[in-house]
Amino acid sequence: MRDLVLGLSLYHDSSAALVSLEGDSLACMTEERFSNIKHDGGYPSACIREILALADRHQWGRVRYVAFNYAPILILEEKLFSWLDSALPAEAATVLKTAICEVAPHATVCRPMMYPFTYLAALCDRLGMDEDVKEETLRRIRWNLNRYFQLADVEKYLVSQFPDAEVIGVRHHDCHAASAFYPSGFDQAAILTIDGHGEFETISLAEGSAQGIRRLGNTVWPHSLGLLYRNFTEFLGFGWLGDEYKVMGMSAYGTPRYADLFAGLGAVDHNGALHLTFDDLLIRQEMPYCPGEFWPGISRKFKRLLGGARVPGTPFEPRHFDIACSLQRFIEGIGVQLAQNLRARLPSEVDALCISGGVGLNGLMNQRIYQQAGFKHIFVQPASGDDGTALGAALHIAAEKGRCRPGRRLEHVFLGPDYGPDELLASMRALGLTWDEPEDIAWTVAQHLAAGKVVARFEGRSEFGPRALGHRSIMASPLHAEMKDILNARIKHREMFRPFAPACLAEFVNEYFDVADRSEFMLLICPVKPDKRDRIPAVVHVDGTARVQSVRQDANPGMYAIIKAFQGLTGIPVIMNTSFNVNGETIVETPQDALECFLYTDIDYLAIEGFLISKKQNIAQRIDLPADQFLQRRKGRYIQHYWSHELYKRLDTYIPGHLETDWEQERLRRDDDAARRMVAAALSRGWQNVCIAGAGVIGHAVLTYAHRHGLTVGMFSDANAKPGQSVTGVPVLSLSQALDAGARRFIIAANQFEDDIFAAITTQAADHGVLVETIGMVDVML
């Protein structure tokens, strides 16, 4: 029986992949396709179950190795121990590292009043540490040990679930590198990985060859391009995880008027390491409730220079598009610098580059790298985010333990579950649908597209990665510019600045697009040839670019046949292709998902396998529900179908309760510490009377320390102030009332909304014609 490797991604974008020891990719799936939770970070129980079922049905072999996308020991060796070496005398650091290595295998949680925390705290006392040094040392030990225990517990759990397999944790960036190199088709290549962070790395440079993957250099926290982009994504009013592509899309509508500001944020040194510049624009900011985990934060000054953060749900202003454009230019420039460094360090015969990591989904950056870095060929992993690390972990072990060697190209990513005709027909009948079975469904679909209709397509196994490439797609004609607005308004319900992608017959790609390498996975954003832009206006972005998909007959025959037929009718070998889902929903996975999405939207036709379903003929079956209820149907099905204790295992709760408790304790400790420091800062400035902005938990803590140290609190100001409200006798007023009452010195007692409060104080103070001073958490916690 053939030995197989099961790879797992466990964090956000949880996923699973199955490969042979020869490196054949047999199945790859993401949990979000089943759960309908974008970037789902739960245990990938559905993925594992479906993959094992496929392996059994097709008799692929047995799981000999289970690989997951983190190496637990690196949390200690590369993060905690490096900090101990830098912060403590050599002898103290050595004693503590030795003690940690001794206790780590015999403990499950590091919590105050419990072993091993009590033992390590006593050891710090024996080493004669000052109280402040001890406190900082213990908080870092506690956090990193718990993170280590968390991953080690994952490893133990997998051992229990796969008793006949060897379970191996793989360095996160090694997973990314393997996922890009081994499926690239190159015998030898440079490898560039850029993401938010792994165990400690944020960027890695490597060379791949028949001898394996050789690491050449890296960048570590807090110098993270991915986290920088992510924080600006939130600054522009989007979600913190996964909305970066929206910023990339809106960048085309702006001008780089802030480019000089962004240009000073960092550069790549001669070793290929990114160094962000932490000064008055970027701050080295500790991540909330994660001791010792730092990221590039946006300073208050930088926010003011950019006009303040956009509140989610409010209209976009021209400056928002200019910020996106300036940020995007900076990201592209750093990507080019990193790739050029790799080019300079490798022999000329290494003329190919592989890219992976979440930032690898930035198609504009990839295109600039391809044009400017000096490589002749480029391959970007289709699932560049953490979902792809499941495949990378499996391929890394297949190369180490088996016969996986470079040179084999990943021809397609249709690696999801397969669904038989019985399941499909049962779903159609259960919904009371009528349908046709055209003799030539590709020709029929093309006719509807040419007539201006919108057609969804469901065929075979689903795509692995974030892009719909024809098996779970919504298609339309690119011939009329208004089709973009029709899809956005009638079906996708998303921002107007987000473009739609063209799918083009491979043999015509170079005739329509300025792209010189294979682009079958929509990961290069290239210029549309000027003489073709008027012919396919619906898929040309405002800057004249497109995220093109090259469609080959051998790799994607059904999609190819539709585009070929469309060309026969219109003379254009291009159609519009977008993911088969509505806003807020992940891409459909099962036949029932597809049927329900079709019935919920204004899609005209659904081509599902060999069947064609018309909306007009099934109008009585239309689903008319509020959006949240519609999305919940699919989530409910997931819970019902995959019910098990594993379904409720998330990476942050593998050790029952301890991590959430630690986060809460750390939050309370941090808030209390901030209150103490803000009061001390006020006294050091000679303040005698203050107004506390924010009457919540932190405000109460500030009041306590103020009373203790003789600082008078005359009033609170709070956005939710009610008439006659007070906190232990101190009146709570609106900000305007507080300014009228003479408040001029404010302690901002907030965390998440500190910048909004600061902006409100300065704006209203200007309206009142008075000068004010403020102290906030960001001022004292750096």
Side-chain angles (χ1 to χ4, degrees):
M1 182 176 288
R2 185 164 59 159
D3 287 340
L4 307 173
V5 186
L6 177 67
L8 302 176
S9 169
L10 300 166
Y11 192 27
H12 61 81
D13 295 290
S14 62
S15 59
L18 191 68
V19 306
S20 69
L21 286 179
E22 292 75 27
D24 299 314
S25 298
L26 303 173
C28 301
M29 307 173 194
T30 53
E31 195 71 10
E32 70 164 31
R33 294 291 187 95
F34 303 97
S35 69
N36 203 22
I37 299 172
K38 289 190 175 183
H39 307 290
D40 192 345
Y43 185 80
S45 54
C47 296
I48 294 172
R49 187 186 301 187
E50 294 296 335
I51 280 180
L52 295 180
L54 275 175
D56 183 62
R57 186 157 64 247
H58 296 290
Q59 297 185 335
W60 286 333
R62 62 163 187 167
V63 174
R64 176 66 182 83
Y65 302 97
V66 177
F68 65 98
N69 62 333
Y70 284 95
I73 192 62
L74 297 183
I75 300 295
L76 302 183
E77 292 180 349
E78 293 194 353
K79 288 177 65 179
L80 178 58
F81 290 178
S82 64
W83 182 84
L84 292 173
D85 285 335
S86 67
L88 301 179
E91 182 180 356
T94 299
V95 171
L96 276 173
K97 289 190 294 183
T98 301
I100 290 167
C101 289
E102 290 174 350
V103 303
H106 311 293
T108 59
V109 60
C110 188
R111 183 187 297 171
M113 307 305 293
M114 290 179 59
Y115 175 87
F117 185 90
T118 49
Y119 169 72
L120 296 171
L123 186 56
C124 289
D125 288 335
R126 291 184 64 187
L127 290 169
M129 287 186 187
D130 292 339
E131 195 60 31
D132 287 347
V133 174
K134 173 187 171 183
E135 180 184 357
E136 182 63 18
T137 300
L138 288 175
R139 67 190 289 264
R140 292 202 183 216
I141 287 175
R142 192 175 109 209
W143 170 255
N144 284 285
L145 260 180
N146 280 330
R147 180 66 173 153
Y148 165 78
F149 292 144
Q150 180 186 41
L151 291 171
D153 191 65
V154 172
E155 191 169 9
K156 293 174 186 175
Y157 180 74
L158 291 172
V159 168
S160 72
Q161 296 303 297
F162 297 93
D164 298 325
E166 182 180 349
V167 177
I168 306 169
V170 180
R171 180 192 292 264
H172 190 77
H173 273 244
D174 285 353
C175 296
H176 276 308
S179 78
F181 176 59
Y182 289 111
S184 69
F186 305 136
D187 293 319
Q188 194 173 13
I191 307 170
L192 173 60
T193 293
I194 315 174
D195 68 357
H197 63 86
E199 295 86 357
F200 200 42
E201 291 176 300
T202 64
I203 297 170
S204 66
L205 310 178
E207 178 189 12
S209 68
Q211 285 69 49
I213 295 175
R214 179 171 66 99
R215 298 169 63 82
L216 299 175
N218 67 359
T219 299
V220 299
W221 262 352
H223 305 276
S224 171
L225 203 63
L227 290 178
L228 178 70
Y229 205 107
R230 193 177 290 176
N231 283 342
F232 273 101
T233 298
E234 186 177 34
F235 178 81
L236 288 169
F238 299 111
W240 189 76
L241 175 63
D243 280 352
E244 293 89 344
Y245 67 97
K246 297 180 182 180
V247 177
M248 183 176 67
M250 70 187 291
S251 69
Y253 288 83
T255 61
R257 67 176 167 125
Y258 301 105
D260 289 344
L261 285 176
F262 279 91
L265 297 186
V268 176
D269 70 15
H270 68 280
N271 292 318
L274 169 66
H275 292 277
L276 294 177
T277 304
F278 294 106
D279 53 17
D280 58 344
L281 296 183
L282 283 186
I283 53 177
R284 187 174 179 269
Q285 189 172 26
E286 188 169 86
M287 295 175 67
Y289 323 127
C290 303
E293 309 281 1
F294 292 90
W295 62 12
I298 310 168
S299 74
R300 184 179 292 163
K301 176 182 177 180
F302 202 0
K303 292 177 181 179
R304 287 201 304 271
L305 291 171
L306 297 175
R310 172 180 167 263
V311 177
T314 60
F316 290 94
E317 302 171 17
R319 67 181 177 90
H320 296 139
F321 297 97
D322 295 341
I323 292 167
C325 181
S326 304
L327 169 67
Q328 179 62 38
R329 295 283 181 91
F330 174 74
I331 297 296
E332 292 171 19
I334 294 297
V336 170
Q337 290 179 42
L338 290 164
Q340 287 175 335
N341 182 277
L342 266 172
R343 172 66 283 168
R345 296 169 67 176
L346 294 173
S348 59
E349 59 267 22
V350 183
D351 61 358
L353 173 67
C354 301
I355 298 176
S356 191
V359 183
L361 294 172
N362 192 305
L364 289 170
M365 181 192 73
N366 296 338
Q367 182 69 12
R368 269 196 64 188
I369 288 173
Y370 181 65
Q371 292 172 330
Q372 299 179 17
F375 291 97
K376 293 182 180 179
H377 305 285
I378 187 171
F379 175 82
V380 184
Q381 165 54 237
S384 281
D386 271 15
D387 47 354
T389 59
L391 176 61
L395 289 172
H396 178 90
I397 297 303
E400 185 179 274
K401 305 284 188 180
R403 294 170 294 283
C404 175
R405 297 294 180 267
R408 305 172 68 179
R409 178 82 177 194
L410 181 68
E411 300 296 343
H412 66 81
V413 288
F414 303 121
L415 298 168
D418 52 20
Y419 302 94
D422 291 343
E423 181 175 353
L424 172 58
L425 288 168
S427 297
M428 292 162 64
R429 288 168 181 150
L431 290 167
L433 300 176
T434 60
W435 59 85
D436 297 319
E437 295 184 61
E439 184 175 340
D440 187 343
I441 193 165
W443 179 257
T444 303
V445 167
Q447 286 180 308
H448 289 308
L449 294 175
K453 301 299 183 182
V454 178
V455 184
R457 184 168 187 264
F458 179 104
E459 178 183 318
R461 301 174 69 181
S462 56
E463 303 92 334
F464 182 55
R467 307 290 180 234
L469 300 171
H471 281 202
R472 303 291 188 275
S473 288
I474 297 173
M475 305 174 295
S477 169
L479 304 183
H480 305 288
E482 60 268 22
M483 184 56 73
K484 173 185 173 182
D485 295 328
I486 290 171
L487 279 182
N488 267 332
R490 285 176 42 195
I491 297 160
K492 300 293 282 189
H493 306 295
R494 62 185 200 176
E495 298 87 354
M496 60 82 188
F497 51 76
R498 289 167 56 185
F500 290 99
C504 179
L505 298 179
E507 58 268 32
F508 291 93
V509 164
N510 295 118
E511 181 179 325
Y512 278 75
F513 305 94
D514 189 14
V515 60
D517 212 2
R518 294 173 63 168
S519 56
E520 61 266 56
F521 301 127
M522 283 191 194
L523 290 166
L524 295 174
I525 297 178
C526 60
V528 182
K529 295 287 182 69
D531 63 326
K532 297 297 191 293
R533 292 175 186 176
D534 290 340
R535 305 187 71 182
I536 52 172
V539 293
V540 181
H541 203 25
V542 67
D543 59 353
T545 65
R547 190 181 67 203
V548 63
Q549 175 194 1
S550 172
V551 181
R552 297 188 357 257
Q553 185 173 20
D554 57 336
N556 200 349
M559 190 71 162
Y560 184 93
I562 291 172
I563 305 174
K564 189 71 175 176
F566 184 80
Q567 182 189 28
L569 292 166
T570 66
I572 303 296
V574 179
I575 65 170
M576 181 189 291
N577 176 22
T578 188
S579 56
F580 191 176
N581 63 324
V582 295
N583 193 25
E585 180 185 38
T586 62
I587 300 175
V588 300
E589 173 56 48
T590 68
Q592 188 168 355
D593 296 342
L595 292 166
E596 289 186 355
C597 186
F598 169 67
L599 293 173
Y600 181 72
T601 63
D602 288 330
I603 298 170
D604 298 303
Y605 292 92
L606 171 59
I608 183 164
E609 301 296 355
F611 304 104
L612 187 71
I613 305 174
S614 164
K615 179 63 61 62
K616 282 187 177 180
Q617 294 176 3
N618 293 276
I619 199 66
Q621 279 68 44
R622 183 180 178 86
I623 297 173
D624 186 15
L625 288 172
D628 57 341
Q629 292 183 28
F630 173 73
L631 297 177
Q632 194 58 44
R633 288 174 64 146
R634 188 168 157 195
K635 294 175 182 176
R637 229 173 10 251
Y638 167 72
I639 292 172
Q640 182 178 11
H641 188 69
Y642 296 102
W643 178 269
S644 71
H645 71 281
E646 290 178 336
L647 185 65
Y648 295 92
K649 270 188 170 291
R650 304 190 72 83
L651 192 61
D652 56 5
T653 54
Y654 270 104
I655 307 168
H658 92 264
L659 200 59
E660 291 181 355
T661 300
D662 278 352
W663 277 349
E664 179 65 16
Q665 289 180 356
E666 176 61 24
R667 184 186 67 80
L668 293 173
R669 188 211 65 78
R670 181 182 171 86
D671 291 348
D672 188 72
D673 188 36
R676 176 178 57 81
R677 293 191 188 195
M678 287 190 289
V679 169
L683 292 170
S684 70
R685 296 186 187 183
W687 294 8
Q688 297 177 349
N689 191 298
V690 300
C691 173
I692 300 175
V697 173
I698 303 175
H700 285 64
V702 171
L703 182 64
T704 299
Y705 279 107
H707 284 165
R708 188 177 300 170
H709 296 285
L711 178 64
T712 300
V713 177
M715 66 197 80
F716 283 86
S717 69
D718 194 273
N720 299 312
K722 299 178 179 62
Q725 182 183 0
S726 66
V727 175
T728 61
V730 179
V732 181
L733 309 175
S734 70
L735 177 54
S736 180
Q737 291 171 334
L739 289 167
D740 287 339
R744 299 295 182 265
R745 289 171 171 169
F746 293 83
I747 291 179
I748 303 176
N751 188 344
Q752 182 178 359
F753 303 104
E754 178 173 338
D755 290 312
D756 296 330
I757 295 172
F758 175 81
I761 292 172
T762 54
T763 300
Q764 291 199 34
D767 292 341
H768 280 68
V770 299
L771 297 176
V772 296
E773 297 177 77
T774 63
I775 294 172
M777 291 180 70
V778 71
D779 297 311
V780 300
M781 297 299 287
L782 300 182

